[in-house]
Amino acid sequence: MRRGSKVIRVVYRWRVKEESFANFKEVWSRTTNNIHETVPGALGSFMLRSPEDKTEVLTVAKWDSVESWKAFWVAENPSEMVGMREIGERISVTVYDEVDDFTR
């Protein structure tokens, strides 16, 4: 991590039709792994799905700094995420500073 920079988490909220979820998950998996391997500062991602509303999906990406994420997010529609946007509707994108993380 760069000196003086803060790790951030970016929460993408999606609406994905239940019958499209398996395809969305497959495309997301390829996309997030490709971003993690090729985009400077990308530290991986995980996905959450609401048990009450199966169409509500969150993807949470970890970045080494807000500057790295902004470099990736320049036009708010990175080409790497086109496949996901073709399957699901991106509802929102919110950036959070990571304060602490005790996950293993």
Side-chain angles (χ1 to χ4, degrees), residues 7-58:
V7 171
I8 64 165
R9 299 283 181 145
V10 182
V11 178
Y12 302 87
R13 186 167 170 248
W14 300 87
R15 181 74 55 209
V16 180
K17 292 178 182 171
E18 201 164 346
E19 62 272 16
S20 300
F21 179 73
N23 189 28
F24 182 84
K25 182 180 170 196
E26 179 186 326
V27 171
W28 168 82
S29 179
R30 276 196 319 269
T31 300
T32 196
N33 285 311
N34 181 58
I35 291 169
H36 184 210
E37 293 169 4
T38 62
V39 178
L43 301 175
S45 182
F46 62 88
M47 180 186 287
L48 303 170
R49 186 179 186 199
S50 170
E52 287 87 30
D53 178 359
K54 300 276 189 197
T55 68
E56 183 179 353
V57 177
L58 301 178

Side-chain angles (χ1 to χ4, degrees), residues 34-99:
N34 181 58
I35 291 169
H36 184 210
E37 293 169 4
T38 62
V39 178
L43 301 175
S45 182
F46 62 88
M47 180 186 287
L48 303 170
R49 186 179 186 199
S50 170
E52 287 87 30
D53 178 359
K54 300 276 189 197
T55 68
E56 183 179 353
V57 177
L58 301 178
T59 56
V60 182
K62 185 173 184 175
W63 289 83
D64 70 352
S65 69
V66 73
E67 293 81 15
S68 292
W69 177 74
K70 283 182 177 178
F72 168 73
W73 195 252
V74 286
E76 295 190 14
N77 280 310
S79 60
E80 292 89 343
M81 297 176 79
V82 167
M84 292 170 61
R85 290 192 314 272
E86 289 174 350
I87 302 165
E89 176 190 3
R90 191 176 60 216
I91 306 294
S92 65
V93 179
T94 309
V95 177
Y96 296 91
D97 290 331
E98 183 175 287
V99 176

